[in-house]
Amino acid sequence: AFLICLKLGYDQFFNRPLCGKNKVIVVTGCDNKGSFGQLSVEKLVEKGFNVYATYFTIAGKESLLHLNKEIQTKASLDGHHYGIILPVRLDITSEKSVTECFSYLIADLRKRNWTLWALVNNAGVHDGL
């Protein structure tokens, strides 16, 4: 039942008309292709949002950069305005990493004169169960 509710909520949010132009969203936990984090990033960018997507591994960063390239190529071909993906390193188990990520985001938002519109807190710790 929980998965059905999650799917319905996801469809409701991402399938409704929404313009993200000049809006910024932070999505945590975006390392893996096909994951909720990366699928969320993809849909939000296609709606016009600029997205800071956090990753933990170098492979996660490369995956996000590849996704951004694919989306920007699609945008140039179909003439739509899409947002961009801005990968940011974050280790949620490290207070230092969280502080550095937060400081970077605040400074970059100010530099770009952007406003944070939402946070999708998707990152988690897997204990091997």
PDB file of all heavy atoms in Angstrom, residues 38-51:
ATOM      1  N   GLN A  38      17.610  10.212  -9.128  1.00  0.00           N
ATOM      2  CA  GLN A  38      17.895  10.641 -10.501  1.00  0.00           C
ATOM      3  C   GLN A  38      16.628  10.799 -11.339  1.00  0.00           C
ATOM      4  O   GLN A  38      16.546  11.716 -12.157  1.00  0.00           O
ATOM      5  CB  GLN A  38      18.873   9.676 -11.188  1.00  0.00           C
ATOM      6  CG  GLN A  38      20.298  10.044 -10.914  1.00  0.00           C
ATOM      7  CD  GLN A  38      21.269   9.538 -11.966  1.00  0.00           C
ATOM      8  OE1 GLN A  38      20.916   9.257 -13.106  1.00  0.00           O
ATOM      9  NE2 GLN A  38      22.520   9.432 -11.563  1.00  0.00           N
ATOM     10  N   LEU A  39      15.640   9.956 -11.139  1.00  0.00           N
ATOM     11  CA  LEU A  39      14.382  10.128 -11.876  1.00  0.00           C
ATOM     12  C   LEU A  39      13.710  11.446 -11.496  1.00  0.00           C
ATOM     13  O   LEU A  39      13.157  12.144 -12.352  1.00  0.00           O
ATOM     14  CB  LEU A  39      13.444   8.948 -11.620  1.00  0.00           C
ATOM     15  CG  LEU A  39      13.880   7.614 -12.211  1.00  0.00           C
ATOM     16  CD1 LEU A  39      12.965   6.494 -11.728  1.00  0.00           C
ATOM     17  CD2 LEU A  39      13.921   7.668 -13.727  1.00  0.00           C
ATOM     18  N   SER A  40      13.769  11.794 -10.218  1.00  0.00           N
ATOM     19  CA  SER A  40      13.210  13.075  -9.763  1.00  0.00           C
ATOM     20  C   SER A  40      13.946  14.237 -10.404  1.00  0.00           C
ATOM     21  O   SER A  40      13.324  15.183 -10.901  1.00  0.00           O
ATOM     22  CB  SER A  40      13.303  13.186  -8.234  1.00  0.00           C
ATOM     23  OG  SER A  40      12.577  12.170  -7.613  1.00  0.00           O
ATOM     24  N   VAL A  41      15.273  14.162 -10.403  1.00  0.00           N
ATOM     25  CA  VAL A  41      16.085  15.221 -11.013  1.00  0.00           C
ATOM     26  C   VAL A  41      15.713  15.385 -12.484  1.00  0.00           C
ATOM     27  O   VAL A  41      15.486  16.501 -12.970  1.00  0.00           O
ATOM     28  CB  VAL A  41      17.594  14.915 -10.860  1.00  0.00           C
ATOM     29  CG1 VAL A  41      18.436  15.828 -11.731  1.00  0.00           C
ATOM     30  CG2 VAL A  41      18.009  15.035  -9.402  1.00  0.00           C
ATOM     31  N   GLU A  42      15.638  14.279 -13.198  1.00  0.00           N
ATOM     32  CA  GLU A  42      15.314  14.327 -14.629  1.00  0.00           C
ATOM     33  C   GLU A  42      13.970  15.001 -14.877  1.00  0.00           C
ATOM     34  O   GLU A  42      13.847  15.893 -15.723  1.00  0.00           O
ATOM     35  CB  GLU A  42      15.317  12.910 -15.204  1.00  0.00           C
ATOM     36  CG  GLU A  42      15.049  12.858 -16.689  1.00  0.00           C
ATOM     37  CD  GLU A  42      15.142  11.453 -17.250  1.00  0.00           C
ATOM     38  OE1 GLU A  42      15.294  10.471 -16.489  1.00  0.00           O
ATOM     39  OE2 GLU A  42      15.058  11.327 -18.483  1.00  0.00           O
ATOM     40  N   LYS A  43      12.948  14.596 -14.141  1.00  0.00           N
ATOM     41  CA  LYS A  43      11.614  15.173 -14.328  1.00  0.00           C
ATOM     42  C   LYS A  43      11.594  16.662 -13.966  1.00  0.00           C
ATOM     43  O   LYS A  43      10.979  17.475 -14.660  1.00  0.00           O
ATOM     44  CB  LYS A  43      10.566  14.426 -13.492  1.00  0.00           C
ATOM     45  CG  LYS A  43      10.323  13.019 -13.937  1.00  0.00           C
ATOM     46  CD  LYS A  43       9.684  12.981 -15.308  1.00  0.00           C
ATOM     47  CE  LYS A  43       9.341  11.562 -15.701  1.00  0.00           C
ATOM     48  NZ  LYS A  43       8.808  11.485 -17.057  1.00  0.00           N
ATOM     49  N   LEU A  44      12.264  17.030 -12.880  1.00  0.00           N
ATOM     50  CA  LEU A  44      12.282  18.433 -12.456  1.00  0.00           C
ATOM     51  C   LEU A  44      12.999  19.316 -13.473  1.00  0.00           C
ATOM     52  O   LEU A  44      12.529  20.414 -13.799  1.00  0.00           O
ATOM     53  CB  LEU A  44      12.932  18.561 -11.079  1.00  0.00           C
ATOM     54  CG  LEU A  44      12.120  17.985  -9.928  1.00  0.00           C
ATOM     55  CD1 LEU A  44      12.982  17.818  -8.687  1.00  0.00           C
ATOM     56  CD2 LEU A  44      10.897  18.847  -9.645  1.00  0.00           C
ATOM     57  N   VAL A  45      14.117  18.844 -13.997  1.00  0.00           N
ATOM     58  CA  VAL A  45      14.860  19.614 -14.999  1.00  0.00           C
ATOM     59  C   VAL A  45      14.031  19.756 -16.272  1.00  0.00           C
ATOM     60  O   VAL A  45      14.001  20.824 -16.889  1.00  0.00           O
ATOM     61  CB  VAL A  45      16.239  18.971 -15.269  1.00  0.00           C
ATOM     62  CG1 VAL A  45      16.911  19.578 -16.487  1.00  0.00           C
ATOM     63  CG2 VAL A  45      17.133  19.128 -14.047  1.00  0.00           C
ATOM     64  N   GLU A  46      13.326  18.708 -16.656  1.00  0.00           N
ATOM     65  CA  GLU A  46      12.458  18.791 -17.837  1.00  0.00           C
ATOM     66  C   GLU A  46      11.306  19.775 -17.630  1.00  0.00           C
ATOM     67  O   GLU A  46      10.772  20.311 -18.590  1.00  0.00           O
ATOM     68  CB  GLU A  46      11.938  17.404 -18.211  1.00  0.00           C
ATOM     69  CG  GLU A  46      13.016  16.520 -18.818  1.00  0.00           C
ATOM     70  CD  GLU A  46      12.571  15.107 -19.098  1.00  0.00           C
ATOM     71  OE1 GLU A  46      11.447  14.717 -18.690  1.00  0.00           O
ATOM     72  OE2 GLU A  46      13.351  14.369 -19.722  1.00  0.00           O
ATOM     73  N   LYS A  47      10.932  20.016 -16.374  1.00  0.00           N
ATOM     74  CA  LYS A  47       9.898  21.014 -16.065  1.00  0.00           C
ATOM     75  C   LYS A  47      10.478  22.429 -15.991  1.00  0.00           C
ATOM     76  O   LYS A  47       9.755  23.386 -15.751  1.00  0.00           O
ATOM     77  CB  LYS A  47       9.222  20.690 -14.726  1.00  0.00           C
ATOM     78  CG  LYS A  47       8.477  19.388 -14.707  1.00  0.00           C
ATOM     79  CD  LYS A  47       7.055  19.584 -15.126  1.00  0.00           C
ATOM     80  CE  LYS A  47       6.277  18.289 -14.931  1.00  0.00           C
ATOM     81  NZ  LYS A  47       4.973  18.369 -15.533  1.00  0.00           N
ATOM     82  N   GLY A  48      11.798  22.545 -16.154  1.00  0.00           N
ATOM     83  CA  GLY A  48      12.427  23.865 -16.169  1.00  0.00           C
ATOM     84  C   GLY A  48      13.155  24.253 -14.896  1.00  0.00           C
ATOM     85  O   GLY A  48      13.736  25.336 -14.818  1.00  0.00           O
ATOM     86  N   PHE A  49      13.125  23.389 -13.894  1.00  0.00           N
ATOM     87  CA  PHE A  49      13.827  23.690 -12.644  1.00  0.00           C
ATOM     88  C   PHE A  49      15.331  23.513 -12.824  1.00  0.00           C
ATOM     89  O   PHE A  49      15.774  22.611 -13.531  1.00  0.00           O
ATOM     90  CB  PHE A  49      13.372  22.748 -11.521  1.00  0.00           C
ATOM     91  CG  PHE A  49      11.984  22.974 -11.053  1.00  0.00           C
ATOM     92  CD1 PHE A  49      10.935  22.233 -11.568  1.00  0.00           C
ATOM     93  CD2 PHE A  49      11.711  23.923 -10.083  1.00  0.00           C
ATOM     94  CE1 PHE A  49       9.635  22.432 -11.131  1.00  0.00           C
ATOM     95  CE2 PHE A  49      10.416  24.135  -9.638  1.00  0.00           C
ATOM     96  CZ  PHE A  49       9.379  23.385 -10.163  1.00  0.00           C
ATOM     97  N   ASN A  50      16.108  24.359 -12.171  1.00  0.00           N
ATOM     98  CA  ASN A  50      17.534  24.108 -12.008  1.00  0.00           C
ATOM     99  C   ASN A  50      17.657  23.274 -10.745  1.00  0.00           C
ATOM    100  O   ASN A  50      17.026  23.588  -9.731  1.00  0.00           O
ATOM    101  CB  ASN A  50      18.306  25.418 -11.873  1.00  0.00           C
ATOM    102  CG  ASN A  50      18.223  26.231 -13.148  1.00  0.00           C
ATOM    103  OD1 ASN A  50      18.427  25.711 -14.238  1.00  0.00           O
ATOM    104  ND2 ASN A  50      17.900  27.498 -13.013  1.00  0.00           N
ATOM    105  N   VAL A  51      18.448  22.204 -10.809  1.00  0.00           N
ATOM    106  CA  VAL A  51      18.498  21.263  -9.704  1.00  0.00           C
ATOM    107  C   VAL A  51      19.935  21.034  -9.243  1.00  0.00           C
ATOM    108  O   VAL A  51      20.799  20.655 -10.041  1.00  0.00           O
ATOM    109  CB  VAL A  51      17.872  19.896 -10.093  1.00  0.00           C
ATOM    110  CG1 VAL A  51      17.989  18.907  -8.948  1.00  0.00           C
ATOM    111  CG2 VAL A  51      16.426  20.075 -10.511  1.00  0.00           C
TER     112      VAL A  51
END
